[in-house]
Amino acid sequence: MNVTRAISEEFWISVPPMATSRRSTALNEFLSPEERADKITRWGEIRSMTADEAAANLAGEELEAYNRYYEEVREGVLKMQELAGLMMKDVEPPRIQPKSKNQRKRDKWALVQRREAAKAAAK
């Protein structure tokens, strides 16, 4: 069964009906509170392991999940450190020591000498 729709007065298009079917996936699976509690408890135990303990005690999907989780954590920490470094540059700009009175006089004298040398070279 096609449904006809008008885009404007001159154009009509046929829209085929969309088939909607739900396949059973892990996302559609409903876990009971008891099953979720077991998985949450197990993940808490896994997350608290060190890398050596995880390599020794875990296998398969649990080890992959552990490695994936801590890789994401490490990446997040590195990004935050980089961001904090960029923010600190704006918070604490580098300070330049002001020139002393004698240094200003030396700089002015050097400028006068360069100007005089340029005038002499131009003649």
Side-chain angles (χ1 to χ4, degrees):
M1 174 178 162
N2 286 342
V3 177
T4 306
R5 230 183 344 186
I7 295 175
S8 68
E9 291 180 17
E10 301 163 0
F11 298 104
W12 291 81
I13 60 169
S14 292
V15 179
M18 297 202 46
T20 56
S21 65
R22 289 190 172 228
R23 289 183 284 162
S24 179
T25 64
L27 295 175
N28 291 335
E29 179 182 336
F30 179 74
L31 299 175
S32 67
E34 294 82 26
E35 290 173 338
R36 284 189 301 221
D38 292 341
K39 286 187 177 189
I40 289 171
T41 306
R42 178 66 181 147
W43 178 243
E45 294 169 1
I46 291 171
R47 224 177 45 204
S48 65
M49 291 181 181
T50 65
D52 296 332
E53 290 175 350
N57 298 333
L58 300 178
E61 188 175 321
E62 288 181 342
L63 182 60
E64 290 175 16
Y66 175 88
N67 290 333
R68 226 181 10 253
Y69 173 76
Y70 278 103
E71 182 63 32
E72 289 175 10
V73 168
R74 280 189 282 280
E75 287 176 6
V77 168
L78 292 175
K79 285 180 185 178
M80 286 296 117
Q81 286 176 340
E82 182 180 333
L83 182 62
L86 292 173
M87 290 172 60
M88 287 309 294
K89 286 181 185 175
D90 291 337
V91 171
E92 291 290 329
R95 300 193 183 263
I96 300 171
Q97 290 290 334
K99 292 183 178 180
S100 66
K101 182 177 179 181
N102 289 335
Q103 184 62 47
R104 285 195 305 268
K105 288 182 178 181
R106 285 190 293 270
D107 290 347
K108 187 170 182 178
W109 178 245
L111 183 64
V112 168
Q113 292 298 315
R114 275 186 268 147
R115 191 176 340 141
E116 293 300 321
K119 282 183 187 177
K123 289 185 180 182

